[in-house]
């Protein structure tokens, strides 16, 4: 999954720039994709909950992503690119919850934390490998080859999905009867744990999303031609840290509780913001950015794990994931805008301090308001 999704990151902007698209047109296309991804989180989660065959849902999402990649490769014009962004945005909203649901069915709730940690490890490794492959293809072949290769990578993903047998999947637990997705959504919105963790997710991405782009802007001004290499290292370093520690985070959440694992992941965020305000050299920047691997491991493992805890005995797991995904999307969307305004009005150091402050608020929200859900899951 992470191999396939890597092609839809910065490579799109580079590719469309080479196709003589203006910055405004590229920004509009990417905004369409981001908007669809944000607003379809909850409906896609409800759809996956309602689908008895999660493997089929994941396969359909992979095929949709392959089609969106082919549209980009074949027709880099306005309408096909917009259709590609919409298709990819909705497919991504289905694919993530489908993988989480399959993981839950494979190992059960008792071992879900460790399984999610392993998922995060493979996702980090896959993203790093795919970034290297796609970057090499774009540099040595053509910009369009990035998306041909992305579509091609869907084939081994589908093969891996097909090797999961129905007998490998545990039968679902007894679930309460529901009148529909909207009633389930209303029930979730009345759950204190769901609301508090959604707030934590929003504060987390409000702090986190703008940090690397803001640091990248400063690096580009100071490092010139070496900026791309520095930013690449800033992306790879957290992936390595995440791959190393994610299974341990999952085991810690299962043995010591969810809040301690959350606090470790979230606490790295304000520290990183303050250090980015102080450091200047490329080597220091890369080391500081590696702290993002701790935060990413914490949120990546705990978000689906808490959704499983908070929806035990119901058919709302993926709907809950969609709610948390919506909170993440809102926080990320506001983050870059607020950070940009802070830089323009007060300077980069103040912007980093502001982001660190929001990160500290997310830590306090976990510490003071987030209930421990491990006992709830056991009950």
């Amino acid at each position: 999954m992470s191999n396939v999704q890597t092609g839809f990151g910065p490579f799109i902007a580079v590719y469309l720039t080479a196709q003589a698209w203006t910055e405004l047109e590229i920004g509009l296309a990417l905004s369409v994709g981001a908007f669809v991804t944000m607003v379809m989180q909850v409906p896609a989660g409800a759809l996956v909950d309602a689908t008895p065959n999660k493997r089929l849902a994941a396969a359909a999402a992979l095929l949709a992503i392959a089609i969106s990649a082919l549209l980009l490769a074949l027709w880099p014009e306005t309408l096909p690119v917009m259709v590609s962004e919409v298709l990819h945005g909705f497919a991504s909203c289905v694919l993530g919850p489908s993988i989480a649901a399959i993981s839950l069915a494979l190992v059960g709730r008792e071992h879900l934390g460790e399984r999610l940690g392993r998922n995060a490890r493979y996702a980090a490794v896959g993203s790093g490998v795919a970034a290297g492959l796609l970057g090499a293809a774009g540099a040595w072949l053509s910009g369009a080859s990035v998306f041909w290769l992305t579509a091609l990578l869907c084939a081994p993903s589908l093969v891996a999905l097909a090797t999961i047998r129905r007998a490998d999947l545990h039968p679902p637990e007894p679930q309460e009867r529901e009148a529909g997705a909207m009633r389930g959504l209303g029930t979730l919105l009345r759950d204190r744990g769901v609301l508090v963790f959604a707030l934590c997710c929003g504060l987390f991405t409000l702090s986190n999303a703008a940090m690397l782009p803001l640091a990248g802007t400063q690096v580009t001004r100071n490092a010139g031609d070496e900026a791309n290499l520095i930013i690449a290292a800033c992306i790879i370093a957290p992936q390595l840290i995440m791959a190393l520690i994610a299974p341990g985070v999952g085991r810690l959440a299962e043995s010591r509780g969810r809040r301690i694992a959350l606090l470790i992941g979230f606490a790295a965020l304000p520290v990183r913001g303050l250090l980015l305000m102080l450091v200047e050299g490329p080597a220091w920047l890369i080391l500081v950015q590696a702290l993002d691997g701790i935060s990413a491991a914490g949120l990546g493992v705990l978000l689906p794990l808490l959704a499983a805890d908070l929806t035990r005995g119901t058919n709302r797991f993926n709907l809950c994931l969609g709610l948390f995904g919506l909170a993440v999307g809102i926080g990320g969307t506001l983050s870059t805008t607020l950070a940009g305004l802070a830089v323009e009005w007060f300077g980069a150091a103040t912007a980093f301090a502001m982001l660190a402050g929001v990160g500290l608020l997310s830590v306090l929200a976990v510490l003071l308001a987030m209930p421990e859900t491990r006992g709830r899951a056991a009950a």
Side-chain angles (χ1 to χ4, degrees):
M1 179 180 72
S2 61
N3 274 323
V4 171
Q5 294 284 54
T6 302
F8 290 87
F11 293 106
I12 291 180
V14 174
Y15 174 58
L16 294 180
T17 300
Q19 301 296 322
W21 282 50
T22 66
E23 290 186 1
L24 177 61
E25 291 170 333
I26 294 171
L28 178 61
L30 295 179
S31 297
V32 166
F35 179 76
V36 170
T37 302
M38 185 170 65
V39 301
M40 295 308 297
Q41 292 280 351
V42 174
L47 177 65
V48 175
D49 277 335
T51 304
N53 192 336
K54 315 300 185 189
R55 293 174 300 162
L56 181 61
L62 281 167
L63 289 173
I65 289 173
I67 293 170
S68 65
L70 292 175
L71 283 173
L72 285 169
L74 292 170
W75 297 289
E77 299 169 5
T78 302
L79 182 59
V81 169
M82 295 298 181
V83 171
S84 171
E85 285 290 304
V86 171
L87 189 60
H88 174 259
F90 181 71
S92 296
C93 292
V94 172
L95 185 57
S98 298
I99 297 296
I102 292 169
S103 300
L104 177 59
L106 282 170
V107 301
R109 294 182 188 261
E110 290 73 18
H111 305 287
L112 183 59
E114 188 169 357
R115 175 68 262 177
L116 292 172
R118 294 182 65 196
N119 285 1
R121 166 177 285 177
Y122 287 119
V125 173
S127 294
V129 171
L133 287 174
L134 296 174
W140 297 334
L141 298 176
S142 68
S145 66
V146 169
F147 303 103
W148 286 108
L149 184 55
T150 296
L152 187 63
L153 286 170
C154 289
S157 303
L158 289 167
V159 171
L161 192 62
T163 61
I164 300 174
R165 300 166 297 180
R166 184 179 294 274
D168 296 330
L169 304 175
H170 296 286
E173 299 171 344
Q175 297 168 346
E176 64 184 57
R177 294 183 176 274
E178 297 175 2
M182 293 309 297
R183 180 177 175 183
L185 180 60
T187 303
L188 287 177
L189 292 176
R190 291 191 294 273
D191 188 307
R192 176 175 173 269
V194 171
L195 293 178
V196 170
F197 188 61
L199 173 64
C200 294
C201 290
L203 289 172
F204 179 94
T205 49
L206 181 60
S207 171
N208 183 65
M211 283 192 187
L212 181 57
L214 185 56
T217 302
Q218 305 305 309
V219 167
T220 302
R221 290 175 179 168
N222 299 328
D225 294 338
E226 296 179 356
N228 285 327
L229 292 175
I230 296 169
I231 294 301
C234 286
I235 294 172
I236 294 172
Q239 300 288 351
L240 292 175
I241 298 298
M242 185 176 177
L244 288 172
I245 70 170
V249 171
R251 288 192 292 271
L252 178 66
E254 293 290 5
S255 62
R256 299 290 299 276
R258 308 334 188 198
R259 290 177 75 243
I260 183 65
L262 269 179
L263 284 170
I264 292 172
F266 277 48
L269 192 57
V271 173
R272 180 165 138 249
L274 290 175
L275 289 175
L276 285 174
M277 181 177 66
L278 299 173
V279 303
E280 293 184 359
W284 285 109
L285 175 62
I286 294 166
L287 286 174
V288 171
Q289 185 58 24
L291 290 172
D292 188 36
I294 301 175
S295 300
L299 188 66
V301 173
L302 271 298
L303 190 151
L305 185 57
L306 282 166
D309 289 350
L310 293 164
T311 58
R312 187 170 189 131
T314 74
N315 189 32
R316 307 187 195 112
F317 173 51
N318 295 289
L319 183 61
C320 189
L321 281 178
L323 271 176
F324 294 157
L326 177 61
V328 166
I330 292 173
T333 301
L334 293 175
S335 178
T336 50
T337 302
L338 292 178
L341 291 173
V343 170
E344 184 175 341
W345 292 342
F346 306 110
T350 303
F352 280 125
M354 178 195 74
L355 295 175
V358 176
L360 181 59
L361 285 178
S362 72
V363 175
L364 293 175
V366 173
L367 182 64
L368 302 177
M370 185 66 209
E372 174 57 62
T373 61
R374 183 177 63 147
R376 176 169 170 170

